[in-house]
Amino acid sequence: MVEAIGTTRPDADLEAVLDTMLEFDASSAIVVDDDESLVGIVTKTDLLESLTWTDEDRLPVQVFGADLMTELSHEELAKRIEDATRKYRDMRVLEAKVHFQEHDEQLRGIPLLYARVRLFTDKGTFVAADEGYGDRHAVSLALNAVERQILEGKTYGRSKKPADGDDLEKVYGWWLSE
C-alpha cells in the first residue's frame, strides 16, 4: 500500500497512466473526471492486458515468455486451447494465460520448457503445468492436465466442497456435543 496515489483522466494515454503509477510507486491509478469525481481505477495488469496480443475472432491468450515459442505461433496456441476446450460445450473460456520458463536441460538441441496454462471459464479457473521438450510438447502436456481437471470437475481455488451442516457435524461432532 502507498500513502498517496496518482490520479489520471479517462482520456489519458497508456504512457501517461504508467508515468503516474511510476511517479507514485503504485500499482494503480485512480481515474477522475473534470469535477475530480471518481470514475474508476486502472491497474498495471490493465495496462499489460491492453498491450497483449488478441484477435477478435480468437480466444484472448496472454503469453508470458513468448520469446521461448519457437514451434507455435500465437494463433496456433489459441487454436489448440480452443480445440482442447471445445469438447465441453457447456463451458465457455473467457481468457487464457500461458507461461513459459526454460530449463538448462536439452534433448537434441531442444530445450526443456515448463508450460503453465491457466483458463478462466464460466465454470471456474483451471490451472495445470507440465514440462516438455519444445513449446509444442510442453503445451500439449499442460493442456492434457487441464482437460483431466475439467473432467474431474476440479477448479483452482474451489476444490473443496462448501461446508454444510452434515459436514460440520462430522468434523466437529465431538466438540459440538459437549
Side-chain angles (χ1 to χ4, degrees):
M1 301 284 300
V2 293
E3 288 183 23
I5 190 164
T7 60
T8 187
R9 302 285 178 196
D11 57 350
D13 64 358
L14 294 178
E15 189 173 337
V17 175
L18 180 60
D19 288 343
T20 301
M21 289 181 196
L22 293 173
E23 178 185 340
F24 287 90
D25 194 28
S27 61
S28 58
I30 302 296
V31 181
V32 295
D33 61 13
D34 293 333
D35 300 327
E36 298 296 318
S37 298
L38 177 67
V39 176
I41 186 169
V42 177
T43 65
K44 282 185 181 177
T45 303
D46 295 332
L47 292 179
L48 287 172
E49 286 178 355
S50 69
L51 299 172
T52 303
W53 166 88
T54 59
D55 186 348
E56 295 299 322
D57 296 334
R58 283 271 175 228
L59 171 71
V61 178
Q62 276 188 323
V63 180
F64 300 90
D67 58 320
L68 300 173
M69 290 177 56
T70 57
E71 300 171 281
L72 291 172
S73 67
H74 278 93
E75 186 174 315
E76 287 177 280
L77 180 61
K79 184 177 179 338
R80 294 201 55 190
I81 292 170
E82 288 172 350
D83 290 345
T85 57
R86 187 172 289 129
K87 302 170 196 169
Y88 313 100
R89 297 188 196 291
D90 61 337
M91 182 179 74
R92 197 171 121 241
V93 179
L94 307 171
E95 183 181 358
K97 294 185 181 189
V98 180
H99 294 253
F100 288 107
Q101 183 177 358
E102 185 175 15
H103 295 293
D104 293 334
E105 186 178 335
Q106 291 192 359
L107 176 67
R108 298 183 187 115
I110 301 173
L112 179 65
L113 294 180
Y114 168 84
R116 183 177 69 219
V117 176
R118 180 175 292 160
L119 301 179
F120 298 93
T121 73
D122 58 348
K123 302 292 183 189
T125 303
F126 298 92
V127 181
D130 213 327
E131 296 175 336
Y133 291 97
D135 55 321
R136 185 180 306 274
H137 185 227
V139 166
S140 293
L141 294 174
L143 282 174
N144 286 343
V146 167
E147 283 192 68
R148 284 192 301 275
Q149 283 184 1
I150 293 169
L151 288 170
E152 294 171 1
K154 294 182 180 175
T155 61
Y156 182 75
R158 289 196 303 163
S159 59
K160 295 180 180 177
K161 296 187 314 186
D164 61 4
D166 294 338
D167 289 338
L168 290 175
E169 189 176 329
K170 287 179 191 175
V171 174
Y172 298 110
W174 62 270
W175 185 58
L176 294 174
S177 62
E178 293 179 2

